Amino acid sequence: MRSDIVKRGLERAPHRSLFKAMGYTDAEINAPLVGIVNSQNEVVPGHIHLDTIVEAVKAGVRNAGGTPMEFPAIAVCDGISMGHIGMHYSLPSRELIADSIETMAMAHGFDALVMVPNCDKIVPAMLMAAGRLNIPTIVVSGGPMLAGKTKQGNISLSNMFEAVGSVQAGTMSEAELLSCEENACPTCGSCSGMFTANSMNCLTEVLGMGLPGNGTIPAVYAERVRLAKQAGQTIMSLLDKDLRPHDIMTKEAFMNALTVDMALGCSTNSMLHLPAIAYEVGIELNLDLANTVSARTPNLCKLSPAGPDHIEDLYMAGGVQAVMKELSKGNLLHLEIGTVTGKTVGENIAHAVNSNPKVIRPLDKPYSQTGGIAVLRGNLAPDGCVVKRSAVAKEMLQHTGPARVFESEEAVSAAILGGKINRGDVVVIRYEGPKGGPGMREMLAPTSAVAGMGLDKDVALITDGRFSGATRGASIGHISPEAAEGGPIAFVNEGDSISIDVLAGTLILHVSDEELTKRKESWNPPAPKIRHGYLARYVKLVSSASTGAVLKA
């Protein structure tokens, strides 16, 4: 066993004495040591209940003959950190989490790991760590929140952000806003739409690193606790078989993940996280693959914010396995590859049933013949940019308008709420990329304000930063190279004409190459916004959004 390095032999008597100081018996020390990574805290609604999930995991490990040993991981709530300095730390926290898990696992010689995350950056961070360490690992998340219930229908966190714009536009009263505030987030769990957290929890299931149901069983259901116990038992089976993340997270598994991503209409942030996870297992996941996969993959679901359905509806319809079953009818998935269940993808989905074709459209009756995410290129984004196509109004799939240029999220939010943005405008938000932000902030506040004020069918937003999984509308993020690296977005002037063609996959700035060269010659990069602490170090190492914004020495 790998843990023998900390417990076997005469020279390890001091180490064993430290285990005994914590109350471990000889039998527990001699059993396989399973690290349980717990990201529970009292700050994030998706994580506040994870102690319950972890206790269930421990029970499963003990039942199967292992010794569970819990240790913590941090977690940032994107919703609470949104719109202020806190959002600079969200994406960078992904690297801290992966590094800390690597540190704990290598320092203490665990034989295997069970990862217990739930929200935006924590899920991909744990998968990155799993790929980096390559010891038997399984992921079991805390599950999605139930949707909020109102007289007008189900709502979620994204409706709250949009409601702020509605109040500013005079179409909603403050009393109605308070009512939404009281009801939008009724339970613990990851926010109830197909936002980044639930996107990554679903894709964990597709990658084969989580058990069937991992992405959709609601946080408050007893079934989630049973799933956690099963995960604890399953890790011991993975250890016996020496089945490791590199055996499961293969190129074919990532192609499956991209395919299901397109069918579900997941968050654009998946285009940051999947390449970053792939990087840790030595696989290059080029952004252009997204368009290749999208061209052959129908969009089967329109979950909030793209449509009225929520994760609980996907769960009731048969979950991720039912979506995969639909896709398999068109030979769109690799069915022969292995998963943490010990079975192949094909065996896992053999008995899956789509019980609600209104939530999961049949393969021959999709919302569109192409997938929910598109990668655009052009002289404004030579290395690519990303849009959630399934959440864009038909009116905005092709659009040309004048550039309205802003140097930060705060500036554009003030302009939108101040009524200074006109129908037809293309709002450019720059110096918000991985280096320029720093940290590539999510900008749900401005996109939600646009939607709340009824402008989402008339105004486009483009940025070298990123948009939340809760964003809808013509919101194009991840523009690469970013402004801070001298990308073309740095040289856009107020009033320049910009053309967006989501259908053709292009983003064009109507300025000549000669003029862009001239503008670049007179460009002076701004000073770093943050010069001390973790983010100052992060800026020196972070790579482009087009390669997953991973840290490279």
Side-chain angles (χ1 to χ4, degrees):
M1 289 187 292
R2 187 172 178 274
S3 61
D4 286 351
I5 62 173
V6 299
K7 67 186 185 185
R8 294 290 183 197
L10 184 68
E11 69 278 11
R12 293 295 182 255
H15 302 63
R16 292 192 295 273
S17 72
L18 292 170
F19 281 110
K20 290 178 179 180
M22 294 180 282
Y24 291 104
T25 65
D26 285 329
E28 288 174 307
I29 296 169
N30 289 331
L33 303 183
V34 180
I36 315 296
V37 190
N38 184 3
S39 58
Q40 190 274 342
N41 61 46
E42 296 181 353
V43 180
V44 186
H47 291 235
I48 195 165
H49 66 302
L50 291 188
D51 279 354
T52 299
I53 304 300
V54 165
E55 287 305 313
V57 170
K58 290 179 182 177
V61 171
R62 291 191 185 102
N63 286 343
T67 298
M69 303 183 74
E70 177 187 340
F71 64 90
I74 64 168
V76 170
C77 178
D78 277 26
I80 294 173
S81 65
M82 194 81 65
H84 57 88
I85 192 172
M87 183 46 72
H88 288 291
Y89 289 86
S90 174
L91 181 60
S93 74
R94 186 186 71 180
E95 319 310 309
L96 282 177
I97 295 163
D99 289 351
S100 65
I101 294 170
E102 175 194 358
T103 300
M104 288 295 289
M106 294 302 294
H108 300 104
F110 295 120
D111 295 299
L113 294 171
V114 181
M115 312 280 202
V116 187
N118 211 27
C119 291
D120 300 60
K121 309 308 162 299
I122 302 88
V123 180
M126 290 192 178
L127 288 168
M128 289 167 67
R132 191 183 301 174
L133 291 162
N134 198 34
I135 61 176
T137 302
I138 190 170
V139 177
V140 56
S141 77
M145 183 185 292
L146 295 178
K149 315 295 181 185
T150 70
K151 293 179 180 178
Q152 290 72 37
N154 289 349
I155 63 171
S156 67
L157 180 68
S158 63
N159 300 103
M160 285 306 308
F161 280 91
E162 293 181 9
V164 174
S166 297
V167 172
Q168 291 283 343
T171 57
M172 177 182 283
S173 69
E174 290 192 25
E176 290 172 316
L177 177 66
L178 178 59
S179 177
C180 290
E181 179 183 325
E182 297 284 355
N183 291 287
C185 300
T187 72
C188 61
S190 48
C191 296
S192 59
M194 188 53 80
F195 313 144
T196 306
N198 291 323
S199 294
M200 293 312 302
N201 281 326
C202 288
L203 296 181
T204 296
E205 193 175 325
V206 181
L207 281 170
M209 291 296 292
L211 295 172
N214 180 74
T216 59
I217 298 170
V220 293
Y221 283 18
E223 187 180 355
R224 175 63 59 176
V225 176
R226 296 198 299 272
L227 186 79
K229 289 180 181 177
Q230 187 182 352
Q233 294 171 338
T234 300
I235 192 59
M236 300 306 296
S237 175
L238 294 175
L239 181 58
D240 287 342
K241 297 173 183 176
D242 197 28
L243 190 59
R244 304 180 182 216
H246 286 205
D247 301 320
I248 295 169
M249 290 194 287
T250 61
K251 183 64 176 285
E252 292 77 15
F254 281 101
M255 294 304 291
N256 281 354
L258 280 173
T259 300
V260 177
D261 190 339
M262 297 301 167
L264 286 173
C266 289
S267 164
T268 53
N269 283 318
S270 63
M271 293 296 100
L272 274 178
H273 299 320
L274 287 175
I277 299 163
Y279 173 79
E280 296 292 352
V281 297
I283 295 171
E284 181 182 355
L285 208 60
N286 190 288
L287 273 184
D288 289 329
L289 278 174
N291 280 347
T292 301
V293 173
S294 180
R296 64 173 183 249
T297 307
N299 179 215
L300 304 182
C301 302
K302 277 196 178 292
L303 300 157
S304 175
D309 297 322
H310 293 79
I311 301 299
E312 65 194 72
D313 301 305
L314 178 61
Y315 163 74
M316 293 300 295
V320 173
Q321 301 294 303
V323 174
M324 295 175 74
K325 184 68 172 284
E326 287 291 343
L327 293 169
S328 72
K329 296 174 183 177
N331 297 316
L332 295 172
L333 296 176
H334 296 277
L335 301 179
E336 74 287 354
I337 58 177
T339 70
V340 291
T341 65
K343 300 177 181 178
T344 65
V345 170
E347 290 170 328
N348 285 344
I349 68 172
H351 301 293
V353 175
N354 179 2
S355 58
N356 190 343
K358 292 182 179 180
V359 175
I360 305 172
R361 289 277 186 95
L363 194 67
D364 59 353
K365 295 180 181 178
Y367 284 102
S368 67
Q369 293 295 334
T370 53
I373 291 176
V375 173
L376 313 184
R377 289 186 185 270
N379 69 337
L380 190 50
D383 293 341
C385 57
V386 183
V387 63
K388 189 169 184 174
R389 173 166 43 194
S390 59
V392 178
K394 291 181 180 180
E395 296 89 337
M396 293 300 291
L397 289 171
Q398 295 171 305
H399 177 78
T400 297
R404 302 294 306 281
V405 182
F406 299 89
E407 311 297 321
S408 70
E409 177 191 2
E410 290 82 359
V412 74
S413 293
I416 294 168
L417 295 174
K420 296 179 181 179
I421 300 301
N422 305 310
R423 296 184 187 277
D425 285 348
V426 178
V427 176
V428 178
I429 316 165
R430 62 191 179 195
Y431 297 107
E432 289 287 4
K435 289 183 182 293
M440 204 178 181
R441 290 191 290 177
E442 283 188 347
M443 285 173 275
L444 182 55
T447 58
S448 297
V450 165
M453 298 177 79
L455 296 173
D456 56 302
K457 295 181 180 180
D458 302 283
V459 171
L461 294 95
I462 66 174
T463 183
D464 53 5
R466 61 197 176 93
F467 293 114
S468 167
T471 295
R472 63 185 174 95
S475 302
I476 300 166
H478 308 194
I479 287 180
S480 302
E482 62 174 293
E485 296 246 278
I489 191 174
F491 314 124
V492 179
N493 286 347
E494 186 84 4
D496 285 346
S497 179
I498 295 175
S499 289
I500 299 162
D501 193 331
V502 176
L503 301 177
T506 59
L507 181 64
I508 305 297
L509 173 65
H510 295 288
V511 173
S512 69
D513 291 344
E514 293 77 14
E515 174 62 19
L516 283 176
T517 299
K518 183 178 178 181
R519 293 180 186 180
K520 187 170 185 176
E521 288 172 352
S522 60
W523 173 67
N524 292 310
K529 297 175 186 175
I530 297 177
R531 304 185 186 187
H532 303 285
Y534 171 54
L535 290 183
R537 299 193 299 275
Y538 177 85
V539 166
K540 293 177 181 179
L541 297 175
V542 70
S543 67
S544 169
S546 63
T547 56
V550 296
L551 299 188
K552 295 184 178 180

